[in-house]
């Protein structure tokens, strides 16, 4: 038996990097979803939405 993981080839971490998430994921496709706890969604949803709204994302 074995275990495997498949993930994107890029990992980004840093202070306030979520504010620019649209630029970091633009080459991954046109849609995405976030997996997070209820508290995580409450904290990050406004930041993610703002990142897309400021760039006139579709």
């Amino acid at each position: 038996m074995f275990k495997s993981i498949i993930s994107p080839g890029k990992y980004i971490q840093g202070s306030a990097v979520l504010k620019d998430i649209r630029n970091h994921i633009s080459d991954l496709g046109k849609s995405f979803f976030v997996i997070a706890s209820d508290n995580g969604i409450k904290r990050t949803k406004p930041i993610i939405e703002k990142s897309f709204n400021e760039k006139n994302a579709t």
Side-chain angles (χ1 to χ4, degrees), residues 13-33:
Q13 180 178 344
S15 176
V17 74
L18 194 57
K19 291 180 180 179
D20 199 28
I21 190 171
R22 181 178 179 266
N23 290 332
H24 296 300
I25 66 168
S26 63
D27 60 337
L28 299 177
K30 293 187 177 196
S31 64
F32 68 96
F33 65 92

Side-chain angles (χ1 to χ4, degrees), residues 30-45:
K30 293 187 177 196
S31 64
F32 68 96
F33 65 92
V34 175
I35 300 173
S37 66
D38 287 340
N39 188 41
I41 294 294
K42 287 178 188 175
R43 289 183 293 112
T44 59
K45 184 178 177 181

